[in-house]
Amino acid sequence: MNQFLFVVFPYLCLATFVVGHVWRYRYDKFGWTTRSSQLYENRLLRIGSPLFHFGMLGVVGGHIIGLLVPQAWTDWAGISERAYHVVAVAGGLLAGVMTVVGMAILIYRRRTVGPVFSATTPMDKVMYAFLGVVIVLGMWNTVAGSILTIGGVYNYREGVSVWYRSFLAFQPDAALMAQAPLGFRLHALVAFGLFALWPFTRLVHVFSAPVGYLTRPYIVYRSRDDAALGSHSPRRGWDRVGG
């Protein structure tokens, strides 16, 4: 069972994540969008969206440091275990609270604003459920994991983190996750389930950063008001637009 849960299942989810995005991009380009509802309501969105997105940036950054940076590196840098976990708890809780509050506002908005609720799909509801469970479990593990590590009971940097790096190296050791506390195992399984759902939700917009805006030409506006043309005569070959 451990081999299935922490070797087979994660790779199935990863394969679905990759193949699903390729399929979605090739056959559903017009659906590759957040399906923005800003036109329906802007007040709550203006508060909830920045909280959620900036909180998620902190969450992702914390996972990159916690999972990909070996403990030997921070030890070499002179960072004590206690100092590391104090920063991890403070930063993790701040990012987690921002994400939870932002998501709560967005869900409330989606439930109470008629047009936004009408545009909500069943997959949106599943996505919110998985996101909520993953975030809450992650916050619990941030606090509990630090307490267990400082107390000498369990160090996730010598277990879960090592398993994750071995998973990325295609040499996963399921025994490392089997020894982890239940909260860490549930967090990992639900997170991989979210990755499997990712290509079929609005989360695909994460891979659509507007990089092209940096190099695209300026938009030229032409006035329809003759008086706004000033003293300059129109260029040859262009007809003046009527009112």
Side-chain angles (χ1 to χ4, degrees), residues 36-37 39-41 109-120:
S36 176
S37 58
L39 290 175
Y40 301 136
E41 196 280 336
R109 171 182 176 271
R110 187 163 291 278
R111 185 64 184 85
T112 58
V113 179
V116 180
F117 181 72
S118 298
T120 303

Side-chain angles (χ1 to χ4, degrees), residues 172-186:
D173 184 357
L176 291 172
M177 283 300 291
Q179 298 167 4
L182 180 61
F184 287 97
R185 286 178 282 161
L186 290 176

Side-chain angles (χ1 to χ4, degrees), residues 8-211:
V8 178
F9 178 70
Y11 281 122
L12 286 176
C13 293
L14 182 63
T16 305
F17 180 85
V18 174
V19 176
H21 278 91
V22 174
W23 174 87
R24 179 84 180 266
Y25 186 77
R26 290 190 61 182
Y27 297 103
D28 188 28
K29 286 185 179 180
F30 289 106
W32 189 289
T33 173
T34 61
R35 297 197 304 278
S36 176
S37 58
Q38 185 175 3
L39 290 175
Y40 301 136
E41 196 280 336
N42 189 45
R43 184 178 61 86
L44 291 173
L45 182 66
R46 192 168 50 192
I47 301 172
S49 183
L51 278 173
F52 175 77
H53 287 92
F54 283 113
M56 282 302 301
L57 286 176
V59 169
V60 172
H63 278 73
I64 291 175
I65 296 173
L67 295 177
L68 298 184
V69 177
Q71 182 174 344
W73 291 13
T74 54
D75 291 342
W76 175 83
I79 301 174
S80 67
E81 194 69 22
R82 180 176 293 275
Y84 174 89
H85 286 288
V86 166
V87 174
V89 170
L93 286 180
L94 176 61
V97 169
M98 288 177 61
T99 305
V100 169
V101 172
M103 187 169 68
I105 293 173
L106 294 177
I107 293 176
Y108 172 80
R109 171 182 176 271
R110 187 163 291 278
R111 185 64 184 85
T112 58
V113 179
V116 180
F117 181 72
S118 298
T120 303
T121 67
M123 187 57 74
D124 289 333
K125 299 175 183 178
V126 175
M127 176 197 71
Y128 276 119
F130 269 79
L131 269 175
V133 173
V134 168
I135 293 169
V136 171
L137 284 173
M139 293 178 66
W140 166 256
N141 289 334
T142 298
V143 177
S146 296
I147 294 174
L148 291 175
T149 301
I150 294 174
V153 179
Y154 178 79
N155 187 354
Y156 71 88
R157 300 182 72 195
E158 296 176 350
V160 176
S161 299
V162 176
W163 170 81
Y164 188 77
R165 293 195 293 272
S166 71
F167 170 80
L168 294 180
F170 296 100
Q171 295 178 337
D173 184 357
L176 291 172
M177 283 300 291
Q179 298 167 4
L182 180 61
F184 287 97
R185 286 178 282 161
L186 290 176
H187 181 63
L189 292 174
V190 178
F192 275 109
L194 178 62
F195 283 131
L197 291 172
W198 196 299
F200 314 106
T201 68
R202 65 178 67 211
L203 292 176
V204 293
H205 77 276
V206 170
F207 303 106
S208 300
V211 180

